[in-house]
Structures are given as structure tokens and as C-alpha cells.
């Protein structure tokens, strides 16, 4: 089976999972963290090299304050409790998203997770936090514009590869597969640039029900797809530099 090198997941449906059971939304997020653990393990076991999880979008701040603080609390608790185990599993943690406006406590934790695991070589777990793709692209453009202003770069030398290298995902291959749970079928400002040639799989299950089995079934569907990258055969991948 062809295992995708990079899988990115929009973990959707925590709230609906809880509502269906008459539970508070926060219980859905809590169960969602269990699904995160299982998915990280499954990805490492099957040989996925990069796993990106959409944990908190730049738009999620619009949710009620209690839910925002629950989500931040769960992410902090995950890093505090699971970092040693991730490190033991040889997982490298990387954070993407806008770091500038984050509170110091969470920023310190995220930086510590990256620093502690930076030499690990098995799975790279990319956590998209305070992430929005348009914001990421705008920050990359601003950085290129600064180089042009200061004479380090000529505008005619700006290429797709140069833009790719300024994104938060610099050095990480584009996702081969993007999965979204909960039956919603949209990208919601996630990895817009990087998704140019990604395969999409939409799963009806809510995120807390996502399991190793669901993951394997998605990988089998992916393996049966014929990727052409705009050409006629899969080898055309080389031509787009993926
Ligand atoms: C979508 O469900 C899920 C989120 C907005 C957050 C996902 C976060 C976690 C699973 C926990 C923390 C993450 C990590 C990496 C430890 P929703 O609330 O939008 O569900 P709904 O659409 O049914 O309301």
C-alpha cells in the first residue's frame, strides 16, 4: 500500500459529538484529545512521516470565552502530559500559525515542545495553532516585500518555490492527503497554498470517534487514487516539485 508521506487532518465535529450525547461541548473536545493520541500513534506505526492537525484556527477566538479557554487548556495539558511520551516515540513536534499575539505561557510551552523534540526522526507532528492559511500567506508576502524594500531580493525573482519557503511549513512537504471529519466538505482556510495537489477524504464520523481503523480505511482509499499532478502519470509529481 502507498502510505502518504504527509497527512493533514481537520478535526471537526467535537461539539456535535457531545450534543448528540447531551454532554457539554468541552466533553467533545476532551474525547477529541484521546482521538489525537490514537491518531499520532497510528500515523507513526504505519510510517507516515508528517501529520498536521488543525488544533485551533485564527477564527476560533470568536467562540465563547469559556470554550476558547477550554481548548487552550486542553492543548496546554496535552503538551504538558504527552510531551515526554511523544519524545520517547521519537516524534518531532512543530507548531505552525501566528505566534506573535499568543500569551507567554502557551508560547513557552510550544517553543519548549519544539526544542525538546527537534532532533527526533520518526514522525513530525505539526500542530496548527492560531493558524489561518490566508494569514500565513500574508505574513510570507510581507517578509518577501521587506526583502525587496531592503534590496535583498528583486521582485522578478519571486517564484512559487520562494513563497513556499517563507510559509510556516517551510521544509515540510505538501500534504498528500487532507482528511476532514464530521461530514463537512470544505477547507476552512487550512493549508490553502500547500493543498494544491492534495487528495481529499471526507469522513462522516465526528472527530472523537476517529480511530486507528478509520485512519487505515482512509489510507486505503488514498492508496487507490491515481494522482497525476496535472500530467498523465504519477511520475509527473517530480515536475511540480512536490
Ligand atoms: C472542531 O470541533 C474541533 C476543534 C475546533 C478543535 C480541535 C481540538 C482538539 C481535538 C483538542 C486539542 C488539540 C490537540 C492537538 C491536543 P467543533 O467544536 O468545531 O465541532 P462542531 O462543528 O461539531 O461544533
Amino acid at each position: 500500500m502507498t502510505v502518504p508521506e504527509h497527512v493533514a487532518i481537520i478535526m471537526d465535529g467535537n461539539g456535535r459529538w457531545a450534543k448528540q450525547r447531551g454532554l457539554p461541548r468541552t466533553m467533545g473536545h476532551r474525547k477529541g484529545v484521546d482521538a489525537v493520541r490514537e491518531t499520532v500513534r497510528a500515523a507513526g506505526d504505519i510510517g507516515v512521516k508528517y501529520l498536521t492537525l488543525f488544533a485551533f484556527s485564527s477564527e476560533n477566538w470568536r467562540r465563547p470565552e469559556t470554550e476558547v479557554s477550554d481548548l487552550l487548556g486542553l492543548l496546554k495539558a496535552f503538551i504538558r502530559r504527552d510531551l515526554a511520551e511523544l519524545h520517547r516515540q521519537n516524534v518531532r513536534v512543530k507548531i505552525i500559525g501566528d505566534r506573535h499575539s499568543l500569551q507567554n505561557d502557551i508560547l513557552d510551552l510550544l517553543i519548549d515542545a519544539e526544542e525538546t523534540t527537534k532532533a527526533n526522526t520518526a514522525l513530525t507532528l505539526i500542530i496548527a495553532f492560531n493558524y489561518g492559511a490566508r494569514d500565513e500567506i500574508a505574513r510570507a508576502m510581507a517578509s518577501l516585500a521587506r526583502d525587496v524594500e531592503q534590496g535583498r531580493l528583486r521582485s522578478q525573482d519571486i517564484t512559487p518555490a520562494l513563497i513556499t519557503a517563507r510559509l510556516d511549513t517551510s521544509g515540510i512537504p505538501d500534504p498528500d492527503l487532507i482528511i476532514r471529519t464530521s461530514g463537512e466538505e470544505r477547507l476552512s482556510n487550512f493549508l490553502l497554498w500547500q493543498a494544491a495537489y492534495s487528495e481529499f477524504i471526507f469522513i462522516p464520523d465526528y472527530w472523537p470517534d476517529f480511530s486507528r481503523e478509520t485512519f487505515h480505511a482512509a489510507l486505503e482509499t488514498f492508496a487507490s487514487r491515481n494522482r497525476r499532478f496535472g500530467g498523465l502519470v504519477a511520475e509527473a509529481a517530480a515536475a511540480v516539485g512536490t
Side-chain angles (χ1 to χ4, degrees):
M1 184 171 91
T2 318
V3 175
E5 186 181 20
H6 183 175
V7 179
I9 307 184
I10 303 174
M11 311 181 285
D12 198 8
N14 293 348
R16 279 165 286 166
W17 182 92
K19 191 172 176 206
Q20 213 175 43
R21 289 161 176 76
L23 298 168
R25 289 176 60 81
T26 179
M27 287 308 291
H29 296 315
R30 228 161 263 259
K31 284 290 287 183
V33 178
D34 294 339
V36 165
R37 281 194 192 98
E38 183 165 344
T39 306
V40 172
R41 247 178 257 127
D45 290 347
I46 203 157
V48 167
K49 294 299 290 176
Y50 300 87
L51 175 70
T52 300
L53 299 178
F54 203 177
F56 195 89
S57 78
S58 23
E59 289 76 32
N60 283 152
W61 298 107
R62 295 188 201 136
R63 294 192 177 196
E65 215 179 302
T66 52
E67 181 161 347
V68 169
S69 92
D70 278 343
L71 279 168
L72 299 189
L74 283 174
L75 183 74
K76 285 193 259 185
F78 174 74
I79 299 211
R80 285 200 189 103
R81 272 185 225 145
D82 288 56
L83 186 62
E85 175 60 19
L86 291 169
H87 194 32
R88 205 187 55 74
Q89 291 171 23
N90 197 17
V91 172
R92 177 168 70 124
V93 177
K94 171 143 180 60
I95 312 297
I96 59 170
D98 184 14
R99 301 175 180 216
H100 293 100
S101 50
L102 296 181
Q103 297 156 343
N104 282 337
D105 61 338
I106 195 145
L107 189 61
D108 291 348
L109 268 178
L110 298 177
I111 291 172
D112 179 47
E114 287 187 327
E115 279 299 309
T116 308
T117 61
K118 68 179 177 201
N120 290 345
T121 54
L123 175 74
T124 298
L125 171 64
I126 300 141
I127 301 177
F129 180 75
N130 194 25
Y131 177 85
R134 287 182 173 179
D135 170 69
E136 176 192 35
I137 294 168
R139 285 185 283 108
M141 295 302 143
S143 132
L144 289 171
R146 272 192 302 276
D147 280 4
V148 172
E149 260 167 23
Q150 291 167 14
R152 290 192 293 266
L153 178 69
R154 297 181 315 164
S155 61
Q156 62 268 38
D157 293 334
I158 295 176
T159 57
L162 209 56
I163 295 173
T164 297
R166 295 294 169 106
L167 296 172
D168 297 347
T169 50
S170 172
I172 296 167
D174 288 343
D176 303 289
L177 170 62
I178 297 181
I179 296 173
R180 183 172 189 150
T181 57
S182 91
E184 307 290 345
E185 301 190 356
R186 57 180 174 272
L187 205 43
S188 300
N189 202 17
F190 186 50
L191 302 178
L192 296 181
W193 176 273
Q194 299 87 337
Y197 289 97
S198 304
E199 293 290 325
F200 290 85
I201 293 182
F202 300 105
I203 293 177
D205 303 11
Y206 295 142
W207 174 251
D209 288 330
F210 192 85
S211 63
R212 186 178 279 265
E213 291 69 37
T214 331
F215 193 39
H216 284 178
L219 296 187
E220 270 171 30
T221 304
F222 171 83
S224 71
R225 301 239 180 123
N226 181 9
R227 301 180 79 200
R228 292 191 296 275
F229 300 93
L232 294 177
V233 288
E235 285 77 21
V240 291
T242 57

